[in-house]
Amino acid sequence: MGTRGDTTLGTVLRALREDAGLSQEELAERAGLSPHAISALERGTRTRPYPHTLRALATALDLSEEQRAALLAAVPSRTRAAATTTAGATVGRRELPVPASPLIGRDDDVGRVADLLRTSRLVTLSGPGGVGKTRLSLAAAAAVRDRYADGVRLVELAPLLEPGQLLPAVADAVDATRDPSRSVSDDIVDRLRGSNLLLVLDNVEHLLDAAPAVAAIVEAVPDLSVLATSRAPLRVRGETEYAVEPLEVEDHPDGTPSPAALLLLDRAQRVNPGWGADPADAVAVGATCERLSGLPLALELAAARARLLDPGSLLERLDTALQAGPRDLPPRQRTMRATLDWSQGLLDAPARRLLRLMGVFVGGTTLVDLEAIATRVGIAREEVVTSLEELVEHSLVLAGSSGRVRMLEPVAQYARDLLREADEWEEAARAHAAHYLTVAEANHSSYRDGGQVAALNRIDLEHANLTAAAERSLAAGDVETPARMAWELWLYWWLRGDHDHGRQFAETALHHAADLPDDVHARAALAAATMAFAMDDVRAAARWWARSHERAGADPAILSNAVAGEGLVSLVDGDLVVARERFEAARRHAEVAGPEVQWTWGLTHVWLGTVALLEGDADEAVRLIEAGLESATSREDRLSSYIALYNLFQVELGRGDHAAARRHLEESTRLSLETGDQANLAYLLDAGAVLAAASDQHARVPLLLGAAQAIREAQGAQGYGYYRPDPDAITAAADDARSHLGADRYDDALDTGRGFSPVQAAAMLRSPDPA
């Protein structure tokens, strides 16, 4: 059970049960479960048991800590299935070296390069230093050498200093006879004329001025093919470029370790057999691969430290682990710093400066954002594109089809080191924070209108930059920037379900808020309050809303939000009289504040409708909620719309109009999917389960309730305090479905629902037919 091949949940549980000498029935009795449940787990038909089920099994089996960890690790979402690699040793021809270790994760690349060499006589493997271009070129050359009657010749160019040395090196490799009366190019052409040969030119990037001469030789010798490796393409006619990407870091869907993990494990186990084989190490192995962006050289350098460091320790010491590698590597590759210094040395001064500046970004950026920050630090806008093109050409920056540019994490860390060494870090960090504050401000109002989805997508891409900007600002003693950001981003966090992060973000700023202007302080407190409220911490939310009210002064926009928050606290507490008074006061403040808080004006109507519904006045509830819905619809505000629609669903369900209730539910679901608001979706799934039970669609009930439970577990909170679902109705729906389906079938369906993606679960709400 200690091997990676024996870690499916069913296999692990069965082995532990048999080791304990228990039958399925005996284990079920000890754990307080049904024999069917044990059977389903061991057969693999139930794969996502509740945490308390796992705890009960571990207690019933009297597991050791090691066995308990193995059982928990066997749950599919946290395991990596077995994978081993084998590499057949191929006897290489004399002109090609045979690496001592296998090439991992490059089978597809070898095949593609081999295919390219059928149709192109000049192929360049391009990519960043350490991505594995040389190893790939040797493997591809070995795969195709039987196509070439005169074999393959390798020319290692890294030791050369000048472009003029490239052709003499080629001449030596092909045994060309030198004639002082002719050019070296003519000697090579004369030697190769009539030959059918593949020439591998390794590390051309620092000799690019010689590229036209290489192209001329290819043109003059019809049966000559050239496979080059370079951090930058040759940029000559007839060249086919093949970009070599880092190894994939995501595990395969079946749990098989990623190519990056396989490489790390292979190299580490060569110095420390068994390293990383414990399933408990899988998380650290995966995190290491992700931190190193799947860059093979970085993985090999890290693996060299496996003799002393276990996977967790290696992850903690990753930066220092890259400072020394195997002695048989070329000097330029014995550390990541040496590899990247080699690349930087090929750049001109403006490109080197832009490389340093790009170290300030986290998770990439866009050209527009890069230009904005560059101009803040004194780089001319017109220089940015030219220098960026140079960085992309030398594979130090990756350009995506979406328009974003990014660096692999080892390159980004290198750029940050250079930025600090040049004493440019503080200026760059200030410029970065100032710019991303403007980005947050520019998108703030769009969360409440038709620009909602576009704004969410924009901030999704920049969230890492925004978080970094706030953290760096705080570290530099600037509290106002993160406090302002908290207000600008709170609704983004709400819609994305990132409540814990948002709360920490806002409260961290507020803990240093002594010198903040009152309006900034009050708005940051609003952000903290809403995040705490979303996490079910109503008392903390109440304190922050009270703080905001105190600091609001006479600002009606701040007052409308703070007072509405106080109304929500009263709603949760069941004090409908105070809740109505607070919501009405918030509505009056919103009317004075104008368009900025039209959103709050609409929501106060919805919440007043909730109060009316709880008081039993369905007609008044509909009147108020529809007023809020009309306001939301006029602004194309999805969030306020689905809040209103949920409440209208409650009204129609209570009236017994299931068709109307379903229409409200379907529209609310559609809007929730557009914004990605999963916490809201959980409420809709519960509501759908109640509606399904009322419509005698019992098989749907556990599927919907299971999906809702999984979302709430992932969110870490029960949801929104301004919704007042009837818990008795949900319990009744579950009990009714269980009685119709039977306990075992109900539990199986509940487990199935817990495995649904949000889109799969939502599809059940849009279709009246049982799944």
Side-chain angles (χ1 to χ4, degrees):
M1 194 172 63
T3 68
R4 294 171 72 87
D6 298 327
T7 56
T8 62
L9 179 59
T11 300
V12 170
L13 179 59
R14 183 168 57 253
L16 291 170
R17 176 179 59 77
E18 291 172 352
D19 287 346
L22 299 176
S23 67
Q24 290 184 346
E25 290 75 14
E26 289 169 335
L27 176 57
E29 183 176 356
R30 286 191 181 189
L33 303 171
S34 69
H36 173 84
I38 302 298
S39 175
L41 288 169
E42 292 190 358
R43 294 195 319 269
T45 59
R46 187 178 300 175
T47 59
R48 293 179 175 84
Y50 292 105
H52 64 74
T53 300
L54 289 172
R55 288 194 294 271
L57 288 168
T59 300
L61 290 165
D62 194 24
L63 299 183
S64 67
E65 286 301 315
E66 181 180 357
Q67 291 172 320
R68 185 183 294 262
L71 180 64
L72 294 175
V75 177
S77 61
R78 297 189 182 185
T79 61
R80 298 166 185 263
T84 60
T85 62
T86 62
T90 304
V91 177
R93 291 191 179 184
R94 184 171 58 190
E95 65 273 13
L96 282 181
V98 179
S101 56
L103 181 64
I104 292 175
R106 293 298 191 192
D107 289 349
D108 290 345
D109 293 297
V110 170
R112 293 189 188 106
V113 174
D115 288 342
L116 288 177
L117 286 168
R118 291 185 184 278
T119 57
S120 176
R121 293 196 298 119
L122 176 55
V123 175
T124 301
L125 307 183
S126 65
V131 80
K133 300 181 294 297
T134 296
R135 285 296 306 269
L136 177 57
S137 72
L138 293 176
V144 303
R145 63 182 153 196
D146 288 343
R147 299 180 194 170
Y148 301 93
D150 295 294
V152 181
R153 293 290 184 273
L154 170 66
V155 188
E156 297 177 330
L157 303 174
L160 306 186
L161 301 178
E162 300 293 338
Q165 296 175 299
L166 187 149
L167 290 186
V170 172
D172 290 342
V174 300
D175 300 321
T177 301
R178 299 301 306 278
D179 183 343
S181 67
R182 298 190 305 181
S183 68
V184 179
S185 179
D186 288 341
D187 290 337
I188 295 171
V189 170
D190 185 63
R191 172 68 179 85
L192 296 180
R193 187 175 286 114
S195 298
N196 180 218
L197 180 76
L198 175 63
L199 191 64
V200 180
L201 303 180
D202 189 31
N203 291 292
V204 185
E205 60 269 359
H206 60 306
L207 307 172
L208 291 176
D209 286 346
V214 173
I217 292 172
V218 173
E219 188 173 348
V221 183
D223 290 327
L224 172 67
S225 294
V226 171
L227 177 61
T229 74
S230 176
R231 300 184 187 188
L234 307 191
R235 297 284 186 248
V236 293
R237 289 179 298 172
E239 177 189 31
T240 298
E241 182 184 358
Y242 183 83
V244 182
E245 302 289 343
L247 294 175
E248 177 59 54
V249 300
E250 292 291 332
D251 285 350
H252 298 289
D254 65 358
T256 303
S258 69
L262 289 175
L263 176 62
L264 179 62
L265 290 167
D266 177 85
R267 301 307 193 255
Q269 288 171 4
R270 289 171 183 271
V271 300
N272 185 355
W275 189 93
D278 189 328
D281 292 331
V283 173
V285 169
T288 297
C289 294
E290 188 170 349
R291 277 273 305 278
L292 298 180
S293 302
L295 203 62
L297 175 61
L299 293 166
E300 298 225 24
L301 293 173
R305 298 300 182 92
R307 183 175 286 105
L308 297 177
L309 301 177
D310 61 35
S313 300
L314 176 63
L315 179 61
E316 292 173 0
R317 296 166 173 81
L318 207 49
D319 291 338
T320 57
L322 303 183
Q323 293 176 1
R327 294 187 182 91
D328 61 339
L329 284 173
R332 70 181 189 284
Q333 291 187 333
R334 288 182 191 160
T335 69
M336 279 305 302
R337 177 70 186 238
T339 296
L340 295 169
D341 280 344
W342 170 278
S343 292
Q344 195 210 191
L346 303 175
L347 305 175
D348 62 21
R352 288 198 296 272
R353 186 178 184 193
L354 191 67
L355 174 67
R356 296 195 298 272
L357 179 63
M358 289 198 67
V360 82
F361 294 96
V362 180
T365 187
T366 66
L367 175 60
V368 171
D369 292 323
L370 177 58
E371 287 177 330
I373 293 173
T375 56
R376 288 176 181 266
V377 298
I379 298 176
R381 184 179 296 272
E382 57 271 17
E383 284 185 8
V384 173
V385 171
T386 302
S387 295
L388 183 60
E389 287 175 342
E390 187 173 350
L391 295 177
V392 171
E393 185 167 280
H394 283 269
S395 303
L396 288 163
V397 170
L398 306 178
S401 58
S402 65
R404 290 187 70 76
V405 292
R406 65 182 181 89
M407 294 188 291
L408 299 176
E409 183 53 33
V411 183
Q413 182 59 56
Y414 173 71
R416 287 191 283 273
D417 290 344
L418 293 179
L419 194 62
R420 289 187 172 93
E421 290 166 12
D423 200 24
E424 297 169 349
W425 174 261
E426 290 184 3
E427 181 187 21
R430 285 194 301 270
H432 177 271
H435 172 71
Y436 277 103
L437 175 58
T438 67
V439 171
E441 291 169 342
N443 287 274
H444 177 80
S445 62
S446 297
Y447 303 129
R448 302 175 174 86
D449 59 29
Q452 220 160 34
V453 173
L456 289 168
N457 291 339
R458 167 75 162 123
I459 301 303
D460 282 343
L461 294 172
E462 302 302 345
H463 194 237
N465 277 311
L466 288 157
T467 300
E471 291 173 350
R472 293 165 184 167
S473 296
L474 276 175
D478 172 10
V479 179
E480 186 166 340
T481 294
R484 289 184 181 278
M485 280 187 178
W487 166 250
E488 305 298 344
L489 293 173
W490 77 265
L491 193 48
Y492 167 82
W493 293 321
W494 183 285
L495 289 164
R496 285 298 188 240
D498 206 359
H499 309 134
D500 185 50
H501 174 83
R503 181 176 179 180
Q504 291 183 35
F505 191 115
E507 290 184 346
T508 299
L510 286 164
H511 289 157
H512 300 83
D515 298 324
L516 283 177
D518 280 346
D519 63 324
V520 176
H521 192 146
R523 292 179 190 274
L526 287 175
T530 52
M531 294 299 95
F533 188 70
M535 295 176 69
D536 304 324
D537 192 346
V538 179
R539 301 280 69 85
R543 290 192 295 272
W544 287 122
W545 270 316
R547 171 88 67 88
S548 179
H549 197 162
E550 292 169 4
R551 299 277 181 158
D555 187 320
I558 298 175
L559 285 169
S560 67
N561 285 288
V563 173
E566 292 168 346
L568 290 174
V569 172
S570 296
L571 184 64
V572 171
D573 291 342
D575 190 338
L576 300 184
V577 173
V578 174
R580 181 191 297 103
E581 185 273 326
R582 295 284 80 193
F583 291 143
E584 288 175 345
R587 181 175 59 181
R588 291 192 295 272
H589 288 304
E591 288 169 349
V592 174
E596 180 186 354
V597 284
Q598 179 68 18
W599 184 75
T600 307
W601 184 90
L603 282 175
T604 55
H605 283 77
V606 175
W607 294 328
L608 284 166
T610 303
V611 172
L613 181 61
L614 292 172
E615 290 177 333
D617 191 343
D619 291 338
E620 177 66 3
V622 169
R623 184 188 71 79
L624 288 163
I625 295 169
E626 286 184 342
L629 180 60
E630 181 180 356
S631 171
T633 303
S634 70
R635 292 176 285 107
E636 301 180 59
D637 175 3
R638 296 168 179 82
L639 172 60
S640 297
S641 294
Y642 54 67
I643 293 173
L645 288 164
Y646 176 86
N647 283 278
L648 289 174
F649 164 87
Q650 295 285 78
V651 173
E652 300 303 346
L653 185 67
R655 288 173 166 174
D657 189 342
H658 293 173
R662 185 178 300 282
R663 286 195 301 273
H664 294 320
L665 188 62
E666 289 177 349
E667 178 64 6
S668 186
T669 300
R670 181 183 71 82
L671 296 173
S672 288
L673 287 177
E674 289 181 1
T675 63
D677 189 345
Q678 293 193 31
N680 192 74
L681 182 59
Y683 278 99
L684 302 181
L685 292 168
D686 283 342
V690 173
L691 181 59
S695 306
D696 294 325
Q697 295 176 337
H698 304 293
R700 301 168 69 91
V701 173
L703 294 169
L704 294 166
L705 292 178
Q709 289 171 5
I711 288 174
R712 290 194 172 102
E713 287 178 9
Q715 297 275 317
Q718 288 302 303
Y720 300 153
Y722 51 69
Y723 282 156
R724 312 310 297 164
D726 183 351
D728 292 338
I730 297 171
T731 300
D735 291 344
D736 191 31
R738 187 183 293 274
S739 68
H740 278 82
L741 301 175
D744 288 338
R745 187 179 169 199
Y746 180 93
D747 288 344
D748 283 345
L750 194 71
D751 187 59
T752 299
R754 287 168 57 80
F756 281 173
S757 70
V759 173
Q760 289 172 320
M764 296 192 64
L765 294 174
R766 297 197 300 271
S767 170
D769 297 322

